[in-house]
Amino acid sequence: MDNATYCYSTDYTPLTTGKGGRKAAHTAIHMGAGSDKVPQDYLVWSLCNFLYVNFCCLGFFALLYSIKARDQKTLGNLREARENSEKAKWYNILASGWNCLVPLMIGAVVVLLVLYMRSSEGSLPSLFGEEGFQRFIKHFSQ
């Protein structure tokens, strides 16, 4: 657009004090109290828990509540979104705890088996059966 054809209104409000001596205009935005804060939906965390181990469908439930929280947040129903967000958070905490606990337990069993196999009385065939289990327990209880 060329400057010769551009028309602007002569009635304008400057942002700073100018030659006219008028004060600058300002706008205040009320953000609301802390309780009106938009809740998180924990969707990425829920997806990770859903795709990994997912014991007793905890990750699936977390994903469902995360999607519900996001939908309610989009609709503007913050109370319902906050409730679903809390449920998603707790399901994610439970699923993450389980997802960390299982590999630790498997690792502990593997370490105990390796230590037992390296001992003088340990061998794989002697581990099976009631007698082998009793020897295994007795070996580590000393």
Side-chain angles (χ1 to χ4, degrees), residues 71-87:
D71 289 345
Q72 293 300 324
K73 187 169 57 171
T74 303
L75 293 173
N77 189 355
L78 293 183
R79 186 184 63 79
E80 217 31 63
R82 198 170 291 110
E83 288 175 10
N84 289 325
S85 173
E86 279 295 312
K87 288 179 183 178

Side-chain angles (χ1 to χ4, degrees), residues 25-102:
H26 67 277
T27 304
I29 299 173
H30 178 66
M31 297 302 288
S35 63
D36 292 342
K37 194 168 69 170
V38 179
Q40 293 182 352
D41 54 20
Y42 304 107
L43 188 62
V44 174
W45 190 14
S46 298
L47 280 171
C48 291
N49 282 328
F50 175 67
L51 295 175
Y52 184 72
V53 181
N54 197 18
F55 175 72
C56 289
C57 298
L58 293 174
F60 179 68
F61 289 133
L63 184 62
L64 284 179
Y65 282 113
S66 294
I67 292 170
K68 285 171 100 176
R70 180 169 279 197
D71 289 345
Q72 293 300 324
K73 187 169 57 171
T74 303
L75 293 173
N77 189 355
L78 293 183
R79 186 184 63 79
E80 217 31 63
R82 198 170 291 110
E83 288 175 10
N84 289 325
S85 173
E86 279 295 312
K87 288 179 183 178
K89 179 176 78 172
W90 283 107
Y91 277 119
N92 277 321
I93 289 170
L94 289 172
S96 295
W98 179 256
N99 291 345
C100 292
L101 185 66
V102 168

